[in-house]
Amino acid sequence: MSELILDGHKLAWHKERVQAWLKGERIAPITIDCALTRRCTYRCVYCYGQLQANDEKKMTEDVIFRFLDDAAEIGVKAISFVSDGESTCSPHIYDAIVRGKENGLDMALGTNGYLLKDERLEEILASLTYIRFNISAATPPRYAQIMGCEEKCFYKVYNIIKRCVEIKKERNLDVTIGLQMVLLPEFADQVLPLAALGKELGVDYCIIKHCSDDERGSLGVEYSKYYDLIDILKEAEAYTDNNYLVRAKWSKILSGGKRRYIQCFGPAFIMQFSGSGLVAPCGMLFNRRYKKYHIGNIAETSFKKIWQSERYWEVLGLLSSDKFDVRTMCGSLCLQHKVNEFLWDLKKRQATLTETKGELPMHINFI
């Protein structure tokens, strides 16, 4: 797992598209994060989805398939079903994963795992680059408390993850299976148990990440308290061995929620869609109060047409202009954060886009 980048980005391995962007060309995103619904079976205490309310359209199979076909046609390389909803609530999730793979797209799924059907696991695991289970506690009582569900859910998800690992080994699949903990300082008691649980289950990795908040501080994340967790996070990382990687997202956990760039360039390369079908630059701007940044809806208009529209490029241009300041006008430590740092240095600090050397990282199209 040494080539698995969990705290960084992979944009340097997409030099051709970066160069096209630097020349002012209209490029397709490399990665799109999206959900197939805004519904969820859980009510996690840290959920950013509660801050992303917008007008929902019906994501039918035809809408989803058209989007996946459009994405492949215009040059998108990877789709991750990770956004403001639990995509396994959609009856179309399994066929969507297969359709995307058949189109030549790298496919990924982030899920709490509760609704995954045992009889469809083999089919989707063969089509996924990675599956990531969102699990922020390792004991049933704390799992129920933190993730907003019943304790019995922990046991069901445990068995689902275990079965995924078994299928991967039985069929010698390339899929990467991981756990993700969204860490708030008050969850410190679960860090080491979760690192141990991942090793027990036989998954490939466990990532411990920060919790994002909006510009109003609606979730009340106290970033200064993350510094008190350094020792316990290092102890968790010591569970790493040749077959299992535990990693904390240090660059964000220890950032204090601060950014060193001003404008936002990242959505040109990695864009997010809401489970409502809304096309917006990023999840931080899904809420209807940010309507001035909303571009369209794939339930109403094909993504290809949306991408070709002047509205698409007008919104991206606004985010990268002097009229937008990420430090005050959107939430903290977003999905595009590491990409934005890289692009800011290229655009504003005259950094050099150098040739990458060595082995290619895993999941290269999930930038």
Side-chain angles (χ1 to χ4, degrees):
M1 306 308 305
S2 60
E3 301 99 17
L4 182 61
I5 298 175
L6 295 174
D7 185 18
H9 68 90
K10 309 178 195 79
L11 205 51
W13 283 271
H14 296 274
K15 187 176 179 181
E16 184 177 323
R17 201 160 299 193
V18 174
Q19 287 174 325
W21 174 79
L22 287 169
K23 293 176 184 175
E25 296 179 20
R26 294 183 170 185
I27 61 168
I30 296 169
T31 309
I32 294 176
D33 272 23
C34 59
L36 301 182
T37 177
R38 290 205 73 245
R39 288 177 291 149
C40 188
T41 47
Y42 287 8
R43 291 294 179 268
C44 299
V45 299
Y46 53 78
C47 182
Y48 200 93
Q50 63 186 292
L51 309 177
Q52 297 172 304
N54 60 79
D55 299 329
E56 188 161 4
K57 307 296 181 182
K58 191 169 183 180
M59 296 281 279
T60 65
E61 183 180 76
D62 287 345
V63 167
I64 296 164
F65 280 14
R66 181 180 66 186
F67 159 63
L68 293 168
D69 294 348
D70 283 347
E73 182 182 344
I74 70 171
V76 176
K77 296 185 178 183
I79 304 290
S80 52
F81 289 134
V82 181
S83 189
D84 59 342
E86 171 56 54
S87 288
T88 59
C89 290
S90 168
H92 312 300
I93 180 64
Y94 306 98
D95 293 335
I97 290 169
V98 173
R99 177 65 166 247
K101 180 66 173 179
E102 290 174 346
N103 283 356
L105 296 163
D106 286 347
M107 301 298 297
L109 174 63
T111 176
N112 60 39
Y114 182 72
L115 290 180
L116 282 172
K117 298 178 180 178
D118 283 5
E119 65 271 20
R120 304 295 298 267
L121 289 178
E122 288 194 35
E123 182 181 16
I124 63 169
L125 289 172
S127 296
L128 289 169
T129 298
Y130 73 81
I131 183 169
R132 187 189 73 209
F133 290 91
N134 302 318
I135 175 170
S136 294
T139 60
R142 288 290 274 150
Y143 182 91
Q145 180 186 35
I146 291 170
M147 303 197 70
C149 60
E150 297 181 54
E151 288 189 26
K152 66 179 183 180
C153 297
F154 174 86
Y155 299 103
K156 182 176 181 183
V157 171
Y158 179 97
N159 288 325
I160 287 286
I161 298 171
K162 187 176 180 180
R163 181 58 187 145
C164 286
V165 172
E166 290 171 352
I167 291 170
K168 173 181 176 173
K169 292 178 178 177
E170 289 167 2
R171 295 193 54 189
N172 194 29
L173 299 175
D174 290 332
V175 62
T176 302
I177 302 172
L179 307 182
Q180 175 175 276
M181 178 185 198
V182 176
L183 176 65
L184 285 172
E186 53 266 37
F187 303 165
D189 63 301
Q190 292 301 301
V191 171
L192 295 179
L194 188 62
L197 180 67
K199 180 166 283 194
E200 175 189 326
L201 286 166
V203 300
D204 297 305
Y205 72 86
C206 177
I207 179 70
I208 304 165
K209 71 182 289 284
H210 66 296
C211 182
S212 294
D213 208 341
D214 68 6
E215 71 275 23
R216 300 176 177 180
S218 299
L219 297 179
V221 183
E222 296 184 66
Y223 289 105
S224 62
K225 291 189 175 181
Y226 280 127
Y227 293 95
D228 297 332
L229 306 182
I230 291 174
D231 289 344
I232 198 169
L233 290 172
K234 287 182 177 179
E235 190 175 347
E237 289 190 330
Y239 278 82
T240 297
D241 59 28
N242 291 335
N243 299 308
Y244 176 55
L245 176 65
V246 180
R247 181 73 71 239
K249 282 199 173 184
W250 292 110
S251 69
K252 292 185 177 181
I253 288 173
L254 300 182
S255 70
K258 307 296 183 184
R259 306 178 193 241
R260 62 174 178 79
Y261 52 91
I262 300 174
Q263 279 84 47
C264 179
F265 301 126
F269 295 90
I270 178 168
M271 181 163 276
Q272 291 174 276
F273 299 175
S274 169
S276 67
L278 171 69
V279 178
C282 69
M284 299 289 183
L285 301 176
F286 284 169
N287 190 285
R288 58 177 63 92
R289 73 172 181 265
Y290 302 114
K291 198 165 184 177
K292 66 183 289 186
Y293 305 110
H294 294 174
I295 301 169
N297 192 298
I298 59 171
E300 299 172 330
T301 307
S302 76
F303 175 58
K304 182 180 178 181
K305 288 183 178 178
I306 291 173
W307 175 73
Q308 291 172 333
S309 71
E310 290 304 315
R311 174 65 180 167
Y312 184 98
W313 299 102
E314 174 189 332
V315 172
L316 265 60
L318 177 58
L319 296 184
S320 62
S321 74
D322 293 338
K323 296 179 181 179
F324 193 81
D325 188 336
V326 299
R327 298 168 298 181
T328 59
M329 298 174 71
C330 62
S332 60
L333 305 177
C334 63
L335 174 71
Q336 294 89 349
H337 177 67
K338 299 304 293 185
V339 166
N340 266 325
E341 289 184 334
F342 177 75
L343 295 173
W344 177 262
D345 288 344
L346 288 177
K347 195 88 168 178
K348 300 293 188 178
R349 296 187 174 180
Q350 286 74 53
T352 303
L353 183 61
T354 58
E355 292 290 341
T356 52
K357 298 179 180 179
E359 292 187 56
L360 293 177
M362 297 175 65
H363 311 167
I364 192 169
N365 291 325
F366 297 93
I367 61 169

